[in-house]
Amino acid sequence: MALSKGPNGYVCSEGELIVFAVRTAHLPLLELRGVALTPISLSQEGTTFVAVYEQLIDVWAGRTSFMLKDGDAEQWLTLDIGPNERKVGLSAWEDLLEELSTVSANLPWGMSPGQASGRLEPDALSAVHPAIIENQLPTFLNLLRRIVADPPSASVRVRTVSRLSLSRAVDRKTVLWLSRRPLELVGVMGKAPAGYSPNSQSLVDQPSVLRSLDHPVTRYIIFLTLKVRKRLVFTRDKLRSTSGHGVPDPSVIAYARLLSKKVDTALTALDGIVNSNLFRVVPPSPPTDSVLQSLPDHPLYSAIHRVGRHIAEPGLAYAPGQDIYSALKHSYDLFELLVLYRLVAAIEAALASTWKATKEAPIEQFPFEDRPADRSLWSWTGPCGERLELIYQARFQPARKPPDQRRYASLSSQAVPDYILAFWKDGELVSWLILDAKYRSGRQPIQEGLGELHRYRDALRLSSHPASGAYIIVPNLQEGATLYGEQEYQSSHNFGAINVYNKSWFQQILAWYQSSIDPSQ
C-alpha cells in the first residue's frame, strides 16, 4: 500500500516495514544517516536502474530522512513516523515527550533515526548541537559579515607632532607653542610681513581625532565568535568519541561521525571570518555593562548577541511545530526513563510526611545524550530506622563459589534489571522487588519478557536475599496478555505485568511496600 504524504513527510508507524522502489539514471545509493542500505533487488531497464530497498521501522518514531543519490543529484525522502498504536497512541507519545522534558529539557534527545522539533533553550548537549548549528549558523555568519564590512568605530582623541595644519582646531598647547614663535603666529593670523609665510615644515604639537576599530562592541563580538568556535570544536570532539552509555551501537557511532562532519563544515565557514583583518587587529574581551546596555539599541549587535548565544550555549526543549529538528532517543529508552521518573514521583507521593528524601540521582551528560547513569540511587529514610532505595540499572555479577556475600549477586550469569526497590530496617534488608520496563504489548513479546523476569526472580540475590516479587512494566497489554495484568494473578504470584498507563498501576508496588513495613498486612 502506498504511503500518503503529510505536511512532515510520508505517514507511517513504528513497527512497519517500509519498501522504497526507486528508478534512477545512475547506480542508486540510498542512505539513512550516512549508512548505505543494501537493495533487496537491483536491475537495469535500458539506461534506467531499478532498485528496491526495505527498512524496518523498528523502535523509533519521529521525522526520519533518507537520502537518495543518483549520480551527483541528491533527493531527500522523509517519513513522518508515528508511535506504534498498539503500545502508545500519538497523544500519549507526545505526552511522554512532554513529561520527560519537564524532568530535563535534554532528556528526550538522543541518537535514534527519528527526530522531533524543539525550541532553543540555554543548555548544552552535543547531540542536538548540529541541528542548532544548521539552523542558526548561516544567520550568524551573515551577521558577522555585515560587521566585518562596516565595523563600529571609536573616536580617539590624541596629540600628534606634525606639520602645522591651518585647518585644524587649536587648543591651549598649540596656542602656547605659537606664542613662543611670533613670526609663525602672525603668519597664521594673515599678518605676516611681505615676502614671509609660515614655515610649512614646522612640527607642531596639535590635537587630533583618529578613527579606531577597537570598539567595545567589536571586542565583545569577537569574544562571542571565538566562544562559538570553541563550542563547535568541543561538540565535534564529543561526537567523535566512541564512549557513551550502554553497549556501543555501530549505527549511533556512524551517525555521530556524520554529525561531526557537519560541525567541521561549520568550523571551516566560521574560520573564514575569524581570519579576517578585523579579528586580527581588535582584541577580544567579555561584555561590559555598558556594552550589554547598548545592544538593544542596535538591531545588528543585538541579533549577533542573540544568535551567537544560541550556538555557544546550545540547548533544545521539545516543542511541536518548531523549525529545528533533532534526534530523539529510541522508543524503548524513552519509555524506560518515563517509568523511572514515574516510579520516583509515585514513591514520594506514597511516603508519609515523616519520611525524608536523602539521595536523588542526578542527570549526567554523556557524549551523545543526557540521562541518569547506571546504578543511580534514590533513597528515602523513615522515622524509625527505615530506608527505601530505588536503584536504576543495578548490575548483578555472575555466580561465584559460596559463600557469596556480594551485595549484587546472581546464581547464574550477569543480569541488569531496569529498577529494583529495596526496603531496609535498622540496616538490615527486609524485602526487595524487581521491576523491568518492556516497551511491548503483544502476547508473545509479553511472555518473552516474563520469561526473562522469571530468571531474574530465581537467580538474583540482593545481600544474599531472593526477591519478594517481580514485575515487568509495559505501555499496554493486548488481547491474550491481559491475564498477567489482573490483580488476582499478581497478588497470587507476586509476579506479572503492570500497565503504566492504568490509573492503579502503582497498586502492587504499594502493596509490597506496605507489607515490608508491616508483614502482618
Side-chain angles (χ1 to χ4, degrees), residues 8-26:
N8 296 316
Y10 293 96
V11 179
C12 55
S13 297
E14 182 184 39
E16 293 182 346
L17 181 67
I18 306 301
V19 178
F20 298 88
V22 301
R23 302 173 68 87
T24 57
H26 303 84

Side-chain angles (χ1 to χ4, degrees), residues 354-377:
T354 52
W355 283 69
K356 304 297 181 185
T358 52
K359 185 171 180 58
E360 179 180 355
I363 294 174
E364 299 186 9
Q365 284 191 357
F366 293 89
F368 306 145
E369 60 179 336
D370 281 13
R371 62 181 306 123
D374 290 350
R375 298 179 289 283
S376 289
L377 171 67

Side-chain angles (χ1 to χ4, degrees), residues 296-483:
D297 298 329
H298 299 272
L300 177 58
Y301 307 159
S302 179
I304 291 175
H305 170 74
R306 183 181 64 257
V307 178
R309 288 285 297 275
H310 286 328
I311 304 173
E313 302 168 7
L316 204 64
Y318 171 69
Q322 303 298 308
D323 59 353
I324 300 179
Y325 280 80
S326 191
L328 295 165
K329 287 181 172 68
H330 285 85
S331 302
Y332 57 80
D333 218 0
L334 292 167
F335 181 71
E336 180 183 295
L337 292 172
L338 173 80
V339 172
L340 171 63
Y341 287 102
R342 284 199 173 185
L343 280 170
V344 173
I347 290 169
E348 292 181 340
L351 294 175
S353 60
T354 52
W355 283 69
K356 304 297 181 185
T358 52
K359 185 171 180 58
E360 179 180 355
I363 294 174
E364 299 186 9
Q365 284 191 357
F366 293 89
F368 306 145
E369 60 179 336
D370 281 13
R371 62 181 306 123
D374 290 350
R375 298 179 289 283
S376 289
L377 171 67
W378 286 257
S379 65
W380 301 263
T381 54
C384 301
E386 307 97 338
R387 185 173 81 254
L388 181 63
E389 293 181 343
L390 168 62
I391 301 100
Y392 173 61
Q393 297 279 312
R395 185 169 298 169
F396 290 78
Q397 299 298 330
R400 64 168 54 168
K401 290 183 178 181
D404 190 349
Q405 302 298 323
R406 293 173 299 172
R407 178 161 180 163
Y408 302 104
S410 171
L411 301 184
S412 56
S413 59
Q414 177 177 281
V416 185
D418 290 328
Y419 333 96
I420 64 171
L421 281 169
F423 185 85
W424 303 76
K425 173 72 172 178
D426 297 326
E428 296 292 328
L429 180 63
V430 175
S431 177
W432 69 287
L433 191 67
I434 299 172
L435 302 170
D436 207 45
K438 297 294 182 185
Y439 186 65
R440 54 187 70 175
S441 61
R443 183 179 62 85
Q444 183 176 344
I446 291 291
Q447 290 177 340
E448 291 172 353
L450 290 171
E452 184 178 2
L453 196 66
H454 267 296
R455 183 174 73 84
Y456 286 172
R457 187 176 68 170
D458 294 343
L460 303 188
R461 298 291 183 268
L462 180 64
S463 297
S464 302
H465 288 67
S468 300
Y471 299 92
I472 58 173
I473 302 180
V474 299
N476 190 24
L477 290 168
Q478 294 183 46
E479 186 177 351
T482 55
L483 168 66

